[in-house]
Amino acid sequence: MIRKKYTYYIILVFITIMGIWLIPSLVKKATCSPDDYPFVYYSSMMKEFGIVDYKDKKTPLSDLKGNKFTTAQFDSLMPLLNFRQLMSDGRLPDSIGGIAITPPLLRSKSVVFRYTPKERQTPDGGLYIMFESMPKRVGLEMPEDVFRMKNEIEFIDVQTNAVNREKSDLFAKALEKAGYSFPAQWSVGNPNPRKAYDEGYFSLDDKRNLYHLKMANNRPFVRNTRIAEIMDIAWFSMYEAPDKRFYGFLFDKQGGLYIVESRDGKYAPLKLDIPPVDITKDQVVVMGNLLYWTVSVTTLRNKSFYGLETETLKKVAEYSVDRQDNKWDKASKWLFPYYLTFQDPNSDYIYPQIRYTGAYGYGANILLAVVSGIFISGSRNRKIFNILFIILTGVAGMIALLLLPKGN
């Protein structure tokens, strides 16, 4: 009898846990929708933000005061965003803001960058591609090996899976000479062979120094950026800018966002004039042109837009849009005070975690508990247990009790 009682409770708990996971998952799939924010871009002509609605074919642009502009006006008021259309129409101006412009110049100054927390919170295969940064022929070619870099650096032939000891030792000596300390914390590069040029990898060593590593003429290039001497580095995102102005975007542990420029052979961080970014939760999008950068930061509460001068990255405008609750937010608040999930929107790792939605859901749990006390049969002690169990576990617990009605 005792064993049967324990078995009942084990099954009850198991079914309840499954319900705490599956029921909210099904409700979320039916009700959840992506956040709907407008497309906002800083206009070099209006000197303010414009809101773009590409679904509106007649008046796709409006300013923050609510004034609307036709498609032709939209192209002219945002020439650095729509320069390809203006070129096609023969309406591209010769100069903007006193600067003579050409299509090659506009393309070279174009910046499109996106950061999401999944970029750093994702499983790392540990194998990287090292391109020749100074190829003899035009374009990058896929190498015949890959390398791994954790406790040491090793190059592995992709055909035989054998370690190329000569090349590995060559790079290991270069890293040692530069002062690199293993194990590596992370190494970040851009393995896309379709890019215009290659700057290799930026790697954080065990002493939290940031190193630049690449291959030039089949020889290792390793240099300590010295950036760790002026800031506590959190993350780096490689971005080989078309005009070769900078190597990528750097986050410090205080949430500051920088670009890493090359100045007289040194690595110089230049801070974007925006508030601190939480790299574990916030998303960042940068859309830059010859004169201005539009930077958007999406948090759990809102989406903020910042207009920055291209050269100085100083802020010239700011605008924010609050997040609107969707159906899932409203439903989960009342139905589930908490739920179990294995997915994190900010990570590619899969692991169990409890999400709390607030105390409102306990009101629904109490209502279910009262209903159960009326309709689920049993002794007085049994009903008390059922009521307390449903208050704690909600609809998942009630379903579990209905599936196992004969527990004593």
Side-chain angles (χ1 to χ4, degrees), residues 252 254-257 271 274-279 282 297 299 306:
D252 66 20
Q254 288 69 46
L257 175 58
K271 190 176 186 301
I274 64 174
V277 175
D278 185 347
I279 63 173
D282 299 345
V297 179
T299 71
Y306 306 94

Side-chain angles (χ1 to χ4, degrees), residues 23-44:
I23 297 171
S25 296
L26 293 174
V27 174
K28 186 173 185 178
K29 188 176 290 292
T31 60
C32 190
S33 58
D35 294 334
D36 185 19
Y37 289 112
F39 177 74
V40 177
Y41 196 82
Y42 189 80
S43 169
S44 58

Side-chain angles (χ1 to χ4, degrees), residues 41-320:
Y41 196 82
Y42 189 80
S43 169
S44 58
M45 304 300 289
M46 297 191 299
K47 301 299 185 194
E48 64 174 329
F49 285 115
I51 301 175
V52 182
D53 182 4
Y54 285 107
K55 296 179 181 178
D56 188 341
K57 302 301 181 182
K58 294 183 178 180
T59 56
L61 175 66
S62 60
D63 61 19
L64 299 185
K65 299 176 183 177
N67 300 313
K68 291 186 173 293
F69 303 92
T70 64
T71 301
Q73 291 173 321
F74 166 45
D75 294 337
S76 298
L77 290 173
M78 292 194 172
L80 300 179
L81 175 65
N82 302 312
F83 74 91
R84 292 179 178 84
Q85 183 63 50
L86 292 173
M87 284 173 52
S88 176
D89 298 340
R91 297 191 293 127
L92 183 67
D94 296 329
S95 65
I96 298 176
I99 300 176
I101 61 173
T102 61
L105 176 62
L106 295 180
R107 283 192 288 266
S108 70
K109 293 297 182 179
S110 176
V111 175
V112 180
F113 167 75
R114 178 182 177 86
Y115 168 82
T116 66
K118 285 188 177 183
E119 181 178 320
R120 59 184 294 274
Q121 297 176 154
T122 188
D124 185 357
L127 295 177
Y128 311 100
I129 298 172
M130 178 76 75
F131 294 106
E132 169 58 59
S133 62
M134 299 180 65
K136 296 179 180 180
R137 299 182 61 84
V138 176
L140 300 174
E141 296 182 359
M142 292 295 292
E144 296 180 351
D145 55 26
V146 295
F147 75 97
R148 57 191 174 199
M149 190 170 174
K150 185 60 179 177
N151 297 315
E152 60 179 337
I153 186 169
E154 287 185 322
F155 285 83
I156 304 164
D157 188 284
V158 296
Q159 297 295 329
T160 64
N161 286 332
V163 175
N164 185 333
R165 184 49 56 192
E166 181 180 356
K167 188 174 181 179
S168 300
D169 291 343
L170 184 66
F171 275 78
K173 290 178 181 177
L175 286 165
E176 182 180 3
K177 183 178 180 180
Y180 191 96
S181 178
F182 285 98
Q185 301 304 298
W186 43 255
S187 300
V188 177
N190 177 13
N192 186 351
R194 300 182 65 181
K195 58 190 177 181
Y197 65 98
D198 176 69
E199 282 294 349
Y201 288 78
F202 281 76
S203 181
L204 195 71
D205 77 347
D206 189 49
K207 296 180 180 178
R208 303 203 66 80
N209 290 309
L210 186 65
Y211 283 81
H212 186 193
L213 169 65
K214 63 180 179 179
M215 182 169 62
N217 291 322
N218 291 316
R219 303 287 299 179
F221 172 95
V222 183
R223 184 174 294 174
N224 187 347
T225 65
R226 303 292 179 186
I227 295 176
E229 297 174 2
I230 58 176
M231 71 176 67
D232 197 357
I233 298 168
W235 185 250
F236 179 84
S237 292
M238 178 69 79
Y239 185 87
E240 286 121 338
D243 63 352
K244 298 188 178 182
R245 175 187 176 183
F246 60 98
Y247 299 102
F249 292 84
L250 180 70
F251 296 87
D252 66 20
K253 287 198 171 180
Q254 288 69 46
L257 175 58
Y258 306 75
I259 60 171
V260 178
E261 296 181 312
S262 177
R263 298 180 193 166
D264 302 324
K266 297 182 179 180
Y267 300 85
L270 178 62
K271 190 176 186 301
L272 278 67
D273 188 15
I274 64 174
V277 175
D278 185 347
I279 63 173
T280 64
K281 298 177 182 179
D282 299 345
Q283 299 182 20
V284 180
V285 174
V286 177
M287 298 185 67
N289 56 51
L290 178 65
L291 299 177
Y292 298 99
W293 283 15
T294 300
V295 181
S296 65
V297 179
T298 306
T299 71
L300 298 176
R301 301 177 303 277
N302 57 31
K303 186 170 186 177
S304 298
F305 302 89
Y306 306 94
L308 311 179
E309 291 182 337
T310 295
E311 288 302 315
T312 63
L313 300 185
K314 293 298 183 181
K315 183 171 60 179
V316 296
E318 182 177 352
Y319 176 63
S320 181

